[in-house]
Amino acid sequence: MLQKKQPIALYAALLLLNAVAQSGPLFAQTIPSLRETFKNDFGIGTALNNAQIDERDPQMTAFIARQFNMATPENVMKSALLHPQWDTYDFTMGDKLIEFGKKHDIKINGHTLIWHSQLPGFIRGIHSKDSIQTFFTNHIKTVAGHYKGKVYSWDVVNEALNEDGTMRKSVFLQYLGDNFVTEAFRLAQEASPGTELYYNDYNNEQPKKRAGCIELVKKIKAAGVRIDGVGIQGHWHVGKIPLKDIEESILQYSALGLKVMFTELDIEVLSRNFQGADVGQRMTANAQSNPYPTALPDSVQQQLAADYEALFKLFLKHKDKVTRVTFWGVNDANSWLNNWPIRGRTSYPLLFDRNSQPKPAFYKVIATAK
Ligand code: 9MR
């Protein structure tokens, strides 16, 4: 009897396994984990949006906790959201993120104290050096102070450089002069002494911008102020990953005694007529702007996989210098690239598809660790 029943039981078990394997996010629990795979190499991070921080979908929460050990808030710690009025701070969502991190053993990188973009509306009404200085000082002291001992690290200053390595003409440069970067680090260090402090930018692997970034770092250090690392955002384009510049940047930044991080990694597959990630730049839609509304052609999928593989091989080659690799979004559905530089496109820049299923790029990345 038993012998006859066994094959049926086995068959039933196989059917069940197959059903689980095809049933969306549950399947995600059976695939390899990025954080586990690279645990001896570098941290694996993701950007989290409101719904994810709010834990609105328990399967998504479980998925994030299994794949990532570091997280950056995609928006909720930007000054417009944390500091909506001159005297008003709203830490609700940021605090939820801190709880999320504690619960799921995920380190939080605060993003970002000083950035020319997503500033509170009231800044537009300020036209004096004193008031900008007061905002700058109060904002850093209050926010870094609030999250003291709670965030692992801060992107203290974000995107202060132009492509040619000169300082961007931001409201901070205009009113406070080019010392504002050093002063931001000084204030952050005072308000939150145990937190790692980083400068973050896009295209700072490119030679001219890198040179500007190195000057900034040297200036901060010469003033006796602490800076722990540089974030290279890593918003690149499929088939055009600047591997040589990236490797050169890892070497040059770490030669300054800095940790190197890839902080907003994604690989765009849709075309645009400029490089970088300046959110102020936009393009107008035309009939060709959204070429893959239902699926990514296999040739592009394979190129994306090859690009991610090459990048992770490089990161692993320099794992003694690279401390974190953070993807800018959990899956393709969450990516900012669905709405920038043109709204409403279907973009495929990450390792997981719109249902959090692994793409060929995911398996290529996992295989680099073997
Ligand atoms: O992904 C973010 C998107 O949801 C916001 O609308 C946008 C607004 O400024 O910022 C995006 O994140 C940016 C990050 O904070 C800094 N580097 C470039 C990122 C992509 O624009």
Side-chain angles (χ1 to χ4, degrees), residues 74-75 78 111 115 118 158-159 233 264 279 328 336:
E74 186 173 3
N75 287 299
K78 291 174 179 171
H111 176 85
W115 188 27
Q118 276 183 298
N158 194 43
E159 302 174 3
Q233 292 182 4
E264 304 185 13
V279 285
W328 205 240
W336 70 296

Side-chain angles (χ1 to χ4, degrees), residues 238-255:
V238 73
K240 295 184 202 156
I241 311 292
L243 292 167
K244 276 197 159 168
D245 293 324
I246 297 169
E247 181 161 35
E248 192 53 37
S249 300
I250 295 173
L251 296 172
Q252 291 197 19
Y253 288 136
S254 76

Side-chain angles (χ1 to χ4, degrees), residues 141-315:
K141 279 191 171 173
T142 310
V143 174
H146 181 86
Y147 289 115
K148 177 181 168 184
K150 296 180 175 164
V151 293
Y152 176 75
S153 52
W154 269 112
D155 292 334
V156 178
V157 177
N158 194 43
E159 302 174 3
L161 291 164
N162 292 316
E163 299 307 283
D164 65 0
T166 58
M167 297 286 290
R168 181 193 288 271
K169 279 206 179 97
S170 67
V171 64
F172 302 114
L173 184 76
Q174 191 188 341
Y175 286 101
L176 308 180
D178 60 8
N179 232 17
F180 83 85
V181 177
T182 301
E183 288 316 304
F185 277 81
R186 192 196 302 278
L187 287 164
Q189 167 187 289
E190 281 165 17
S192 192
T195 305
E196 296 213 349
L197 306 177
Y198 310 141
Y199 175 74
N200 193 51
D201 214 328
Y202 57 83
N203 282 353
N204 52 341
E205 78 283 354
Q206 295 297 316
K208 285 186 183 155
K209 200 159 179 177
R210 184 206 303 147
C213 193
I214 288 174
E215 282 317 302
L216 268 187
V217 171
K218 286 187 171 162
K219 219 174 146 187
I220 296 169
K221 285 180 170 264
V225 174
R226 177 166 63 87
I227 171 170
D228 300 293
V230 164
I232 297 171
Q233 292 182 4
H235 295 293
W236 290 307
H237 202 276
V238 73
K240 295 184 202 156
I241 311 292
L243 292 167
K244 276 197 159 168
D245 293 324
I246 297 169
E247 181 161 35
E248 192 53 37
S249 300
I250 295 173
L251 296 172
Q252 291 197 19
Y253 288 136
S254 76
L256 297 171
L258 298 174
K259 295 176 179 174
V260 182
M261 276 142 282
F262 294 89
T263 53
E264 304 185 13
L265 181 58
D266 49 25
I267 301 180
E268 176 63 292
V269 299
L270 306 176
S271 58
R272 62 175 139 113
N273 53 16
F274 60 93
Q275 277 199 326
D278 188 335
V279 285
Q281 268 179 295
R282 292 232 155 231
M283 276 165 64
T284 33
N286 61 36
Q288 285 84 45
S289 350
N290 194 25
Y292 318 128
T294 51
L296 192 60
D298 192 54
S299 60
V300 190
Q301 190 77 269
Q302 297 311 324
Q303 181 66 56
L304 184 75
D307 285 351
Y308 268 116
E309 179 184 28
L311 268 175
F312 270 75
K313 281 187 172 164
L314 184 63
F315 298 159

